[in-house]
Amino acid sequence: MMTGKRIMAVYLLLILVWSSYALVLDAVEYFEIKQTQTPNATTYNITVLTNASLTACDKEFLSVTIDVDAVRRKWVGFDFSSPKLQRLAEALAPIDLRFGGTMADFLIFSPNSPAKTVKLSPQTDSEKTSRNTNLLQETPKNFTMTGAQWDKLTAFVKTVGWNLIFDFNVFLRRNGVWDPANADKLLNYSVSRGVQFIAFQLGNEPDLYGRYFNVSISPSDLVADFTILRTLISSYSQYKDLSLFGPGVTNVGVRSRSMTYLRKFIEAGGPDVVNEIGIHHYYTNGASATVQDFLNVTKLESLKTVLNVAFNLTRVIPHPVHIRLSETSSCYGGGAVNKSNAYVAGFMWLDKLGVAGLYGLPRVFRQTFIGGSYELVSSRTFNPNPDFYLSLLFKRLVEGPVFPVTSVPEAEQLRVYANCARRDYFRYPVGALVLYYLNLADEKTVLSLTQFSSEDREVFSLTPGDNNGLLSRLVKLNGDILLMPGNDIPLMLPSYQRGDITIEAQSFGFIVIPQASVPACNSFHESATQ
């Protein structure tokens, strides 16, 4: 039997052992914390101005294009019956599809023309860019779209739940004005097939007609042409209330002729016949673009110059008219080979979405869903390129009021944007907030969100998927490669963190704060459920 002294000795020994064990645990925890800290990384204190929202994004804000040139190539590379392609398209819905581009002004609709068998194969990236560059060096020839070809596209659009916008051929003219006969033929055929549209365009980049095609359609003539189109669609009960947008000029503020054309289009009464002003924007020439161009702050800022010019030109309009990016991507000329479809393209794409949101643009149409070096989905394999996954996350996470963001210290190579978080996909609570960021620097960065210091964060960090780094055609989400060997899109789930967040060098991603309870988001989310 143990005496009292022995019991006391054992008790003291147990206390000593436990104290030693606790010290070891503390040391291990301290070591682990030190290991996860990022030495020499700049910490930026990020503040979201949640009471300063002036704009908002709806679910169709990020939209896409398919280039009409695909019809000229008899839909080669487009297997619209592919379950994989359909699954990818469905995942982006709701979304608007703009079917247009340079070749829209050479398309003739002939519903009963026999389909011709043309032996063409899907193009390599270099062939795609070469073709788009050469296209503007010689005047293209008119080509026919048959009813069967149109049926393929419209059936696909209906199947995947997209909204369709068609760009009519403005080069079909008689006595100096647009001849709507062929457009009438397409609309009449579409009515018989139950095709639904949401809007129309007329022509593509009219400021470039004289330079590339030796055709001149003045801004006032184009306004008259739009008036004819308005009269035409008014004759169809199914389409009479649909929107028109144009003129689709390129890079205003960068090209003086584009700015002049838009100004004269407005002065000639364009805003009285179109519902929105459509403009196009590309950062640089795909044939000469370098990897560093995609990380260049000056090039990213050029979009603001374009939008500022466009907004200044529209100030004279007595009634509100929105501006939309009716065609846009990283590089013109079909994109930059092995860059516009690689991880590095995400910097330009995500920044463009952030800037467009702050400026209140209702739509940003990505050139293209499939086709060209800037495609979201490979036309050779139907595998998603990195920008597809980036776009899909944006669609799933971003909706509603847009908020300005400040940083201390000011950051040139760190760009952060903020929105209300979309609720229906991840089931976020009312008032949830999402931030999305680009770290252009070649070193890690720390984001400190002390404004929401007690709330959990859900992080979607996107980094290159293999040793090709910025030129990788694969992307990792929170360290795991996103692959789609079959027809199922991989799970895209967040990591859960608290406190400061370390951002990888030259990376981008999203941070959701579910319990942010932002008043503007509370109001938006509550009204959306009513």
Side-chain angles (χ1 to χ4, degrees), residues 90-253:
E90 288 171 344
L92 293 175
I95 201 168
D96 295 347
L97 168 67
R98 181 243 187 185
F99 186 58
T102 299
M103 295 306 297
D105 288 319
F106 298 90
L107 181 148
I108 309 293
F109 180 65
S110 182
N112 299 317
S113 293
K116 298 179 181 179
T117 301
V118 180
K119 292 184 178 180
L120 294 172
S121 59
Q123 297 167 305
T124 65
D125 288 332
S126 59
E127 288 171 335
K128 291 172 186 174
T129 296
S130 174
R131 174 174 55 82
N132 281 275
T133 301
N134 293 335
L135 190 66
L136 300 181
Q137 294 176 353
E138 57 183 37
T139 301
K141 297 178 181 179
N142 289 342
F143 64 100
T144 298
M145 179 174 70
T146 68
Q149 290 173 325
W150 179 234
D151 289 342
K152 285 185 177 181
L153 176 66
T154 56
F156 175 79
V157 168
K158 183 176 181 179
T159 296
V160 301
W162 286 8
N163 308 311
L164 180 59
I165 299 167
F166 187 80
D167 186 3
F168 288 110
N169 181 349
V170 78
F171 285 177
L172 297 174
R173 312 187 71 76
R174 179 180 297 177
N175 299 323
V177 297
W178 181 58
D179 182 355
N182 197 252
D184 189 32
K185 187 179 293 187
L186 182 136
L187 292 177
N188 190 52
Y189 182 88
S190 297
V191 168
S192 71
R193 291 294 197 271
V195 176
Q196 298 295 318
F197 300 91
I198 61 164
F200 299 104
Q201 271 188 282
L202 181 58
N204 181 80
E205 299 178 353
D207 51 308
L208 299 179
Y209 288 163
R211 178 179 179 184
Y212 291 120
F213 308 127
N214 196 29
V215 173
S216 177
I217 299 177
S218 71
S220 58
D221 286 343
L222 187 60
V223 171
D225 298 338
F226 267 105
T227 303
I228 295 171
L229 176 56
R230 174 67 70 189
T231 301
L232 174 63
I233 66 173
S234 296
S235 67
Y236 287 87
S237 59
Q238 300 93 328
Y239 307 140
K240 63 184 179 66
D241 296 323
L242 300 187
S243 297
L244 304 180
F245 62 90
V249 294
T250 61
N251 283 19
V252 294

Side-chain angles (χ1 to χ4, degrees), residues 334-376:
V337 176
N338 298 325
K339 302 179 188 72
S340 291
N341 52 9
Y343 174 84
V344 72
F347 292 96
M348 283 183 169
W349 182 222
L350 188 57
D351 194 69
K352 178 166 290 183
L353 293 169
V355 171
L358 284 171
Y359 274 76
L361 274 60
R363 294 288 181 275
V364 179
F365 285 85
R366 166 62 183 255
Q367 178 88 346
T368 64
F369 172 66
I370 184 169
S373 290
Y374 34 37
E375 60 192 358
L376 295 178

Side-chain angles (χ1 to χ4, degrees), residues 298-340:
T298 301
K299 288 192 181 296
L300 295 182
E301 287 290 299
S302 69
L303 175 58
K304 294 181 181 179
T305 300
V306 168
L307 294 179
N308 286 335
V309 169
F311 273 89
N312 285 333
L313 289 172
T314 59
R315 291 184 191 280
V316 300
I317 302 173
H319 58 277
V321 176
H322 287 295
I323 295 171
R324 62 169 54 192
L325 287 177
S326 50
E327 180 186 308
T328 190
S329 193
S330 54
C331 308
Y332 59 86
V337 176
N338 298 325
K339 302 179 188 72
S340 291

Side-chain angles (χ1 to χ4, degrees), residues 398-469:
V398 176
E399 184 188 14
V402 182
F403 305 104
V405 176
T406 64
S407 171
V408 178
E410 291 186 5
E412 182 181 55
Q413 293 190 298
L414 173 69
R415 301 167 77 85
V416 183
Y417 303 93
N419 270 77
C420 295
R422 181 174 166 178
R423 295 187 58 227
D424 53 353
Y425 188 83
F426 286 103
R427 305 299 180 188
Y428 289 124
V430 170
L433 182 75
V434 58
L435 294 87
Y436 45 108
Y437 63 84
L438 305 83
N439 180 16
L440 303 170
D442 58 3
E443 60 183 18
K444 292 182 179 181
T445 293
V446 177
L447 300 187
S448 181
L449 305 172
T450 54
Q451 180 183 8
F452 307 101
S453 58
S454 61
E455 285 81 13
D456 293 331
R457 295 90 157 83
E458 297 188 9
V459 179
F460 300 80
S461 173
L462 295 167
T463 53
D466 57 27
N467 292 334
N468 289 320

